[in-house]
Amino acid sequence: QVQLVESGGGLVQAGGSLRLSCAASGSIFSINFMGWYRQAPGKQRELVAGFTSGGVTNYVDSVKGRFTISRDNAKNTVYLQMNSLKPEDTAVYYCNAEINTSYQRRGAYWGQGTQVTVSS
């Protein structure tokens, strides 16, 4: 069993910053991917930023230069530093991970979601 526990989020004015954290725990053999998605009202869930197992990061174009994803491998934790926030960044942010729970078993896991609201 694997759990993803998120923290951070909240209400901030445009131009402000927030930091999200996501810690994975449980039966973790290795992590293939760990990152953040978001879903705004009436819109599809989209990938915001993520790490592959090789350490490659990717970002959606709308956050490049403003958001930075980082990780602490020893803690199985990823962070999303969000700067210069805009009202259009308002969404529920979800941590996502693809985790190998054994040599031959893997699964996709989601956090419970954390609300980020940016006021204009």
Side-chain angles (χ1 to χ4, degrees):
Q1 191 76 1
V2 173
Q3 298 84 36
L4 301 181
V5 178
E6 302 159 351
S7 60
L11 173 64
V12 66
Q13 290 188 330
S17 298
L18 286 172
R19 188 191 194 211
L20 306 182
S21 300
C22 174
S25 63
S27 301
I28 299 172
F29 179 71
S30 61
I31 298 177
N32 297 327
F33 172 86
M34 201 163 178
W36 292 92
Y37 284 73
R38 68 184 179 187
Q39 188 165 21
K43 294 187 177 181
Q44 289 188 330
R45 192 172 296 190
E46 66 172 354
L47 174 64
V48 178
F51 269 109
T52 67
S53 59
V56 176
T57 58
N58 46 63
Y59 296 90
V60 67
D61 286 346
S62 60
V63 308
K64 287 180 180 177
R66 300 187 296 121
F67 290 11
T68 302
I69 190 169
S70 61
R71 64 183 180 178
D72 184 333
N73 290 334
K75 296 181 179 179
N76 292 325
T77 298
V78 292
Y79 307 94
L80 186 66
Q81 179 66 42
M82 306 184 291
N83 298 329
S84 302
L85 282 161
K86 303 176 180 180
E88 50 264 43
D89 294 318
T90 295
V92 178
Y93 284 69
Y94 296 91
C95 182
N96 170 259
E98 182 183 277
I99 293 174
N100 298 314
T101 54
S102 69
Y103 183 70
Q104 293 180 318
R105 182 173 296 177
R106 68 182 180 189
Y109 301 91
W110 291 91
Q112 76 278 10
T114 185
Q115 177 71 45
V116 171
T117 303
V118 184
S119 63
S120 57

